[in-house]
Amino acid sequence: MPLARVNGVGLYYELAGDGDPLVLVHGSWSDHLTWGSVVPDLAERYRVLVYDRRGHSRSERPEGQGSRTEDEQDLAALIETFDLAPAHVAGNSFGASTALGLAARRPELFRSLAAHEPPLMGIVAEDPDLRPLMRAMGEKLESVRAHLRAGEDLAGAEQFVDEVALGPGNWEQLPDWLRDALVTNAPTFLDELADPDWLFLDLARLPDYTGPALLTNGTESPPWFPAIISRLGEALPRAEVRELAGAGHVPHVSHPEDYVRSLTGFLDAA
């Protein structure tokens, strides 16, 4: 099993294809397998790196409180270890937050940046129209947290999918491998929730990244995501903002062909 040892942790990775480097960064609860429907098409044109973030699936899970900064450092180390810089980097959800945070600190590692629905609710927390919705979402997240603290990982994962991320009934529609990953990685999501900075990003530093940026949200996603994307678009000098019609929080799983079309169209112009 290929492990890259970076920053004191072993990270599972896979490389496929030839061409310009493209790194895909998965979100919370999941792992590199969520990119499985899009990697074959992307690998026809790019050298694609997927990996399990620390604490997820086949990668090591260090003890102690983690932070998104560690994930950012891991991403930087992988890009440097495999000599991929400057790389195209595409992230989903918490993986998008990770990519954005690293781009602000290490812009030289990036050729382009694509971010889908980073859960940076802290940067829109003062929006009066969103406060009631985000308060309700926070209560649901607290219920998920209570399940996970009690060791009820299956119940917490199911509630997160049906009440926070994707909507009622979606848990039963997920493939078995994805449900298994969600349960396996539940403790790491609990750790992420305990990071006081997980909802925030230093918008003042974000303009240090001056390369091409694609910011997307799905038309079926909660309304705070378009607001987050809008704030990020204002901060990034070369941002392009798009909506993915019919998609939600994980378009590379639910609408893989549309996701590949949108991403490669952006990368071709980057």
Side-chain angles (χ1 to χ4, degrees), residues 6-269:
V6 299
N7 301 326
V9 65
L11 301 180
Y12 177 83
Y13 71 92
E14 293 181 2
L15 276 164
D18 294 303
D20 293 334
L22 168 62
V23 184
L24 305 176
V25 191
H26 69 81
S28 299
W29 298 90
S30 61
D31 58 29
H32 75 284
L33 291 174
T34 57
W35 300 107
S37 295
V38 299
V39 165
D41 286 338
L42 293 172
E44 291 181 0
R45 304 171 63 179
Y46 304 98
R47 187 182 184 207
V48 181
L49 171 66
V50 294
Y51 68 103
D52 292 346
R53 292 192 293 109
R54 62 170 57 211
H56 292 82
S57 297
R58 304 183 197 184
S59 289
E60 294 179 359
R61 182 175 294 167
E63 295 183 1
Q65 176 60 47
S67 70
R68 196 180 70 231
T69 299
E70 291 176 331
D71 282 283
E72 294 171 11
Q73 292 168 341
D74 291 346
L75 174 57
L78 287 172
I79 292 172
E80 292 173 326
T81 295
F82 293 108
D83 195 25
L84 303 179
H88 299 296
V89 180
N92 173 251
S93 191
F94 193 92
S97 300
T98 299
L100 285 158
L102 180 61
R105 295 193 294 115
R106 298 285 309 277
E108 76 280 2
L109 296 178
F110 289 73
R111 178 170 172 180
S112 73
L113 167 65
H116 183 78
E117 296 191 354
L120 297 167
M121 279 74 82
I123 69 174
V124 295
E126 300 306 313
D127 187 329
D129 294 331
L130 294 177
R131 274 185 210 149
L133 295 170
M134 290 196 292
R135 187 180 305 115
M137 185 272 294
E139 292 171 355
K140 292 174 181 176
L141 273 178
E142 189 55 41
S143 178
V144 170
R145 189 198 307 254
H147 279 305
L148 301 185
R149 283 175 173 164
E152 300 165 353
D153 294 346
L154 174 58
E158 183 173 355
Q159 182 180 16
F160 180 81
V161 169
D162 283 350
E163 297 185 18
V164 178
L166 301 181
N170 274 278
W171 175 260
E172 292 300 328
Q173 298 178 30
L174 295 179
D176 290 344
W177 64 265
L178 184 49
R179 287 200 297 261
D180 290 344
L182 289 160
V183 175
T184 296
N185 297 321
T188 300
F189 182 69
L190 181 61
D191 181 78
E192 290 173 350
L193 289 177
D195 176 7
D197 296 324
W198 85 287
L199 295 176
F200 298 90
L201 190 73
D202 187 353
L203 291 177
R205 293 194 63 178
L206 200 53
D208 290 345
Y209 173 70
T210 59
L214 175 65
L215 305 173
T216 57
N217 63 270
T219 58
E220 304 306 305
S221 294
W224 49 80
F225 284 120
I228 291 169
I229 292 300
S230 178
R231 286 295 307 277
L232 294 171
E234 293 169 356
L236 285 163
R238 296 176 61 189
E240 177 183 351
V241 174
R242 293 183 193 169
E243 281 193 330
L244 301 184
H249 195 50
V250 282
H252 50 293
V253 174
S254 63
H255 295 71
E257 293 181 0
D258 293 341
Y259 181 83
V260 168
R261 189 180 306 113
S262 174
L263 180 61
T264 56
F266 164 70
L267 296 181
D268 285 347

